[in-house]
Amino acid sequence: QVRLVESGGDLVQPGGSLRLSCAASGTGFSANTMDWYRQAPEKQRELVARITSGGSTTYADSVKGRFTISRDNAKSTVFLQMNSLKPEDTAVYYCKAINGCAAYWGQGTQVTVSS
């Protein structure tokens, strides 16, 4: 059983930066693929970034070059560093853990980019 808790969401001005954290409880964190998704109002949930157990990363085209996903296996935590934020980045951001056929979601954290 994996429980995920996101934190770090906030109101930030366009061009600003924010760092999201997702802390995982349970065992086997280092074996998980970890994802960040986001869902804006009235929009589909979309994959923003992924980091595998081996450290390989992928990003949505809309955030590539601005966002960085990383993980600290010793702390069972995944991060999303968000730079050069745009209003269109406004969404609830969710952490997801994947291990084999099992997937777990956090509760989400709100990111609002507005002046």
Side-chain angles (χ1 to χ4, degrees):
Q1 180 78 351
V2 175
R3 289 182 287 108
L4 305 171
V5 180
E6 301 97 333
S7 62
D10 207 349
L11 172 65
V12 63
Q13 293 186 356
S17 296
L18 210 55
R19 191 193 200 199
L20 306 183
S21 298
C22 173
S25 63
T27 60
F29 178 83
S30 64
N32 296 334
T33 290
M34 300 297 298
D35 294 345
W36 284 100
Y37 283 75
R38 68 186 181 188
Q39 188 166 24
E42 310 300 323
K43 303 294 184 182
Q44 290 255 249
R45 189 171 297 188
E46 64 173 340
L47 178 63
V48 174
R50 168 170 288 174
I51 185 166
T52 69
S53 60
S56 297
T57 59
T58 56
Y59 299 92
D61 288 343
S62 59
V63 308
K64 196 168 188 176
R66 300 188 297 120
F67 290 11
T68 303
I69 188 171
S70 61
R71 65 195 297 162
D72 185 339
N73 288 338
K75 297 181 178 179
S76 296
T77 302
V78 64
F79 304 95
L80 186 67
Q81 178 66 47
M82 305 185 294
N83 299 325
S84 301
L85 284 162
K86 305 173 180 179
E88 50 262 45
D89 296 319
T90 296
V92 177
Y93 284 71
Y94 297 91
C95 181
K96 181 183 181 182
I98 305 168
N99 193 332
C101 62
Y104 306 89
W105 291 88
Q107 84 292 341
T109 186
Q110 177 71 51
V111 172
T112 302
V113 185
S114 177
S115 58

